[in-house]
Amino acid sequence: MEDWSARQYLKFEDERTRPPRDLLAQVPLVRPRRVVDLGCGPGNSTELLAERYPQSDIVGLDSSPDMLRKARQRLPKCSFIEADLATWTPEPDTDLIFGNAVMQWLPDHPAIMRRLLETMPQGGVLAIQMPDNTREPALIFQREVGESGPWADDPEVKAAARDDLPPPEAYYDLLKPACSHIDIWHSVYNHVMGSAAAITEWFKGSSLQPFLSPLDAAAREKFLAAYTQKIVGAYQPRFDGKVLLRFPRLFILAVR
Ligand SMILES: C[S@@+](CC[C@H](N)C(=O)[O-])C[C@H]1O[C@@H](n2cnc3c(N)ncnc32)[C@H](O)[C@@H]1O
């Protein structure tokens, strides 16, 4: 995956940090020894963990040097490692593995979550949040534009769309045998956006990236114009000109 742009991602920092707050609020641990933030990005989710657990060793892990640079600047007291979470193994004293908005990028993430859970000490917590928005207009339009432009035959563009998440039952059947307690829930956020075009800006920092990164500057412009046209048609302004971005998310909290 192309290096993520930390600056673009942080344009909507308040909204993007709400789900990890909601996830962390459900974590029952009082004083975990080591806490790892998988896919820590620019450190916004890591900062929440450091505030809640000032006595713990807090580690951020990400595969993007750009994101890690930003995270290190923001949180000089935390440790950060560059790694691929698909092959990473936690230290034995890792009591909390937190992964906000990262697992959805790995198609085999259910098996990775099971593996991680199995390595954790008894009472350890695996806490995961993923966007469950592949059936929302904003994501459907990404696929439609990807399939219809001059870029339609580019193998990277063809592979850019995320698969739908498995249903909650699939996570339950896979994870429950390896844990003492599991909590699975959905929240649907309705983010207030300044305009429909702001929805394009939002997704430029996340799910549009794999569509855009294989393209040259002119093709990117064309892709974004076609996408924004569809967004403007589907996301109607409210009485004050603002637009609501409906955003379903899946939360999973498993206690070893
Ligand atoms: C959407 S950002 C989430 C940032 C932050 N956790 C938050 O709560 O806002 C996803 C991050 O996951 C990272 N990432 C994607 N695939 C990864 C992988 N296989 N291993 C480690 N990090 C990965 C990306 O570089 C990006 O920084």
Side-chain angles (χ1 to χ4, degrees):
M1 187 183 301
E2 161 104 335
D3 203 9
W4 288 63
S5 160
R7 196 163 44 85
Q8 186 69 31
Y9 188 73
L10 285 173
K11 277 187 185 167
F12 299 95
E13 179 171 357
D14 288 349
E15 290 85 354
R16 292 204 203 273
T17 308
R18 168 79 188 276
R21 275 186 205 287
D22 293 349
L23 177 60
L24 185 55
Q26 299 306 319
V27 173
L29 300 172
V30 175
R31 194 171 168 173
R33 290 165 296 173
R34 181 183 298 268
V35 173
V36 179
D37 186 18
L38 294 182
C40 64
N44 50 318
S45 47
T46 323
E47 188 169 80
L48 298 178
L49 295 166
E51 282 168 3
R52 164 106 183 251
Y53 297 120
Q55 318 276 8
S56 306
D57 283 339
I58 310 284
V59 181
L61 178 150
D62 207 284
S63 53
S64 154
D66 182 37
M67 288 292 190
L68 286 168
R69 204 167 25 250
K70 277 274 185 311
R72 286 191 179 104
Q73 278 166 7
R74 180 171 183 155
L75 298 167
K77 290 193 184 139
C78 297
S79 335
F80 290 95
I81 46 177
E82 187 179 330
D84 179 354
L85 73 88
T87 51
W88 169 80
T89 302
E91 301 283 324
D93 62 346
T94 306
D95 291 326
L96 173 58
I97 298 179
F98 193 85
N100 185 70
V102 59
M103 286 290 179
Q104 73 278 2
W105 289 111
L106 293 97
D108 59 344
H109 68 261
I112 296 170
M113 287 167 61
R114 166 85 190 222
R115 176 183 67 80
L116 290 173
L117 193 55
E118 282 173 347
T119 65
M120 298 190 76
Q122 202 172 6
V125 172
L126 176 69
I128 300 295
Q129 182 281 123
M130 291 172 276
D132 196 2
N133 60 344
T134 44
R135 288 174 227 91
E136 294 298 307
L139 275 272
I140 292 170
F141 296 157
Q142 294 175 8
R143 289 199 292 277
E144 286 180 358
V145 176
E147 285 163 4
S148 61
W151 41 74
D153 290 329
D154 183 307
E156 284 185 65
V157 173
K158 277 184 164 185
R162 273 196 343 252
D163 292 337
D164 292 348
L165 292 184
E169 290 81 359
Y171 291 103
Y172 183 87
D173 287 348
L174 182 70
L175 299 178
K176 185 63 183 64
C179 62
S180 59
H181 171 80
I182 190 162
D183 191 2
I184 306 175
W185 73 100
H186 277 93
S187 293
V188 180
Y189 299 87
N190 288 283
H191 297 301
V192 180
M193 310 296 284
S195 65
I199 295 179
T200 303
E201 283 303 304
W202 173 292
F203 288 108
K204 269 166 70 181
S206 54
S207 54
L208 275 172
Q209 287 249 349
F211 288 95
L212 299 176
S213 58
L215 307 182
D216 64 28
R220 280 182 196 198
E221 289 296 309
K222 273 196 190 142
F223 191 110
L224 290 171
Y227 179 69
T228 305
Q229 196 178 5
K230 283 175 179 279
I231 290 284
V232 169
Y235 290 85
Q236 296 296 315
R238 307 324 316 154
F239 78 95
D240 56 357
K242 307 273 191 207
V243 173
L244 294 185
L245 172 61
R246 202 186 103 92
F247 207 131
R249 292 178 181 271
L250 174 68
F251 294 77
I252 301 174
L253 190 137
V255 182
R256 179 74 169 139

Short mmCIF file of all heavy atoms in Angstrom, two decimals, residues 42-43 46-47 50 58 68-80:
data_model
loop_
_atom_site.label_atom_id
_atom_site.label_comp_id
_atom_site.label_asym_id
_atom_site.label_seq_id
_atom_site.Cartn_x
_atom_site.Cartn_y
_atom_site.Cartn_z
N PRO A 42 -0.89 8.51 12.82
CA PRO A 42 -0.12 9.68 13.29
C PRO A 42 -0.12 9.83 14.82
O PRO A 42 0.33 10.85 15.33
CB PRO A 42 -0.83 10.85 12.62
CG PRO A 42 -2.22 10.36 12.35
CD PRO A 42 -2.15 8.88 12.16
N GLY A 43 -0.62 8.83 15.54
CA GLY A 43 -0.52 8.85 17.01
C GLY A 43 -1.77 9.32 17.72
O GLY A 43 -1.78 9.40 18.95
N THR A 46 -2.91 6.41 19.77
CA THR A 46 -1.86 6.13 20.78
C THR A 46 -1.95 7.14 21.93
O THR A 46 -1.73 6.80 23.09
CB THR A 46 -0.46 6.23 20.13
OG1 THR A 46 -0.52 5.70 18.81
CG2 THR A 46 0.57 5.47 20.94
N GLU A 47 -2.25 8.39 21.58
CA GLU A 47 -2.35 9.44 22.62
C GLU A 47 -3.45 9.11 23.62
O GLU A 47 -3.29 9.31 24.83
CB GLU A 47 -2.62 10.78 21.95
CG GLU A 47 -2.55 11.96 22.90
CD GLU A 47 -2.55 13.27 22.11
OE1 GLU A 47 -3.63 13.70 21.68
OE2 GLU A 47 -1.47 13.82 21.89
N ALA A 50 -2.06 6.50 25.95
CA ALA A 50 -1.06 7.06 26.87
C ALA A 50 -1.74 7.89 27.97
O ALA A 50 -1.29 7.88 29.13
CB ALA A 50 -0.07 7.92 26.09
N ILE A 58 3.74 2.07 26.49
CA ILE A 58 2.86 2.25 25.33
C ILE A 58 3.69 2.18 24.05
O ILE A 58 4.69 2.90 23.92
CB ILE A 58 2.14 3.63 25.37
CG1 ILE A 58 1.47 3.88 26.73
CG2 ILE A 58 1.16 3.76 24.20
CD1 ILE A 58 0.20 3.14 26.97
N LEU A 68 4.62 7.16 11.16
CA LEU A 68 5.46 6.98 12.36
C LEU A 68 6.23 8.26 12.69
O LEU A 68 6.41 8.59 13.87
CB LEU A 68 6.42 5.81 12.16
CG LEU A 68 5.75 4.43 12.23
CD1 LEU A 68 6.70 3.34 11.73
CD2 LEU A 68 5.28 4.11 13.65
N ARG A 69 6.65 8.98 11.67
CA ARG A 69 7.36 10.24 11.89
C ARG A 69 6.46 11.21 12.66
O ARG A 69 6.85 11.80 13.66
CB ARG A 69 7.75 10.83 10.53
CG ARG A 69 8.92 11.78 10.58
CD ARG A 69 9.51 12.12 9.21
NE ARG A 69 8.62 11.99 8.09
CZ ARG A 69 8.71 11.05 7.15
NH1 ARG A 69 9.67 10.15 7.22
NH2 ARG A 69 7.86 11.00 6.15
N LYS A 70 5.22 11.32 12.20
CA LYS A 70 4.26 12.21 12.86
C LYS A 70 3.98 11.75 14.30
O LYS A 70 3.89 12.54 15.24
CB LYS A 70 2.93 12.23 12.10
CG LYS A 70 2.89 13.16 10.92
CD LYS A 70 2.51 14.57 11.41
CE LYS A 70 2.33 15.58 10.30
NZ LYS A 70 3.38 15.66 9.31
N ALA A 71 3.82 10.44 14.46
CA ALA A 71 3.49 9.89 15.78
C ALA A 71 4.63 10.13 16.78
O ALA A 71 4.40 10.50 17.94
CB ALA A 71 3.19 8.40 15.66
N ARG A 72 5.87 9.97 16.31
CA ARG A 72 7.04 10.18 17.20
C ARG A 72 7.13 11.64 17.63
O ARG A 72 7.46 11.93 18.79
CB ARG A 72 8.33 9.75 16.50
CG ARG A 72 8.48 8.26 16.39
CD ARG A 72 9.89 7.85 15.93
NE ARG A 72 9.98 6.40 15.88
CZ ARG A 72 9.96 5.67 14.76
NH1 ARG A 72 9.87 6.27 13.58
NH2 ARG A 72 10.03 4.36 14.81
N GLN A 73 6.84 12.54 16.69
CA GLN A 73 6.88 13.98 17.03
C GLN A 73 5.83 14.29 18.10
O GLN A 73 6.05 15.06 19.02
CB GLN A 73 6.55 14.83 15.81
CG GLN A 73 7.72 15.05 14.87
CD GLN A 73 7.26 15.60 13.52
OE1 GLN A 73 6.10 15.93 13.33
NE2 GLN A 73 8.18 15.67 12.58
N ARG A 74 4.69 13.67 17.96
CA ARG A 74 3.56 13.98 18.84
C ARG A 74 3.74 13.39 20.24
O ARG A 74 3.33 14.01 21.23
CB ARG A 74 2.30 13.40 18.19
CG ARG A 74 1.03 13.60 18.94
CD ARG A 74 -0.13 13.15 18.05
NE ARG A 74 -1.39 13.40 18.68
CZ ARG A 74 -2.52 13.57 18.00
NH1 ARG A 74 -2.55 13.50 16.70
NH2 ARG A 74 -3.64 13.79 18.63
N LEU A 75 4.32 12.18 20.29
CA LEU A 75 4.40 11.46 21.57
C LEU A 75 5.83 10.99 21.82
O LEU A 75 6.13 9.79 21.71
CB LEU A 75 3.46 10.25 21.53
CG LEU A 75 1.97 10.57 21.36
CD1 LEU A 75 1.19 9.32 21.01
CD2 LEU A 75 1.41 11.20 22.64
N PRO A 76 6.74 11.91 22.18
CA PRO A 76 8.15 11.51 22.31
C PRO A 76 8.39 10.49 23.43
O PRO A 76 9.41 9.79 23.41
CB PRO A 76 8.87 12.84 22.61
CG PRO A 76 7.82 13.87 22.82
CD PRO A 76 6.51 13.35 22.34
N LYS A 77 7.46 10.37 24.38
CA LYS A 77 7.69 9.41 25.48
C LYS A 77 7.25 7.99 25.14
O LYS A 77 7.54 7.06 25.89
CB LYS A 77 6.94 9.88 26.74
CG LYS A 77 7.55 11.12 27.35
CD LYS A 77 7.00 11.36 28.73
CE LYS A 77 7.56 12.66 29.27
NZ LYS A 77 6.56 13.44 29.98
N CYS A 78 6.51 7.81 24.07
CA CYS A 78 6.08 6.46 23.68
C CYS A 78 7.10 5.85 22.72
O CYS A 78 7.90 6.56 22.13
CB CYS A 78 4.72 6.52 22.97
SG CYS A 78 3.39 7.13 24.02
N SER A 79 7.07 4.50 22.61
CA SER A 79 7.95 3.85 21.64
C SER A 79 7.16 3.55 20.38
O SER A 79 5.95 3.28 20.46
CB SER A 79 8.50 2.52 22.14
OG SER A 79 8.53 2.47 23.50
N PHE A 80 7.86 3.56 19.26
CA PHE A 80 7.18 3.26 17.99
C PHE A 80 8.02 2.29 17.19
O PHE A 80 9.25 2.39 17.19
CB PHE A 80 6.96 4.55 17.19
CG PHE A 80 5.91 5.42 17.84
CD1 PHE A 80 6.28 6.44 18.71
CD2 PHE A 80 4.57 5.19 17.61
CE1 PHE A 80 5.32 7.22 19.34
CE2 PHE A 80 3.60 5.97 18.23
CZ PHE A 80 3.97 6.99 19.09
#
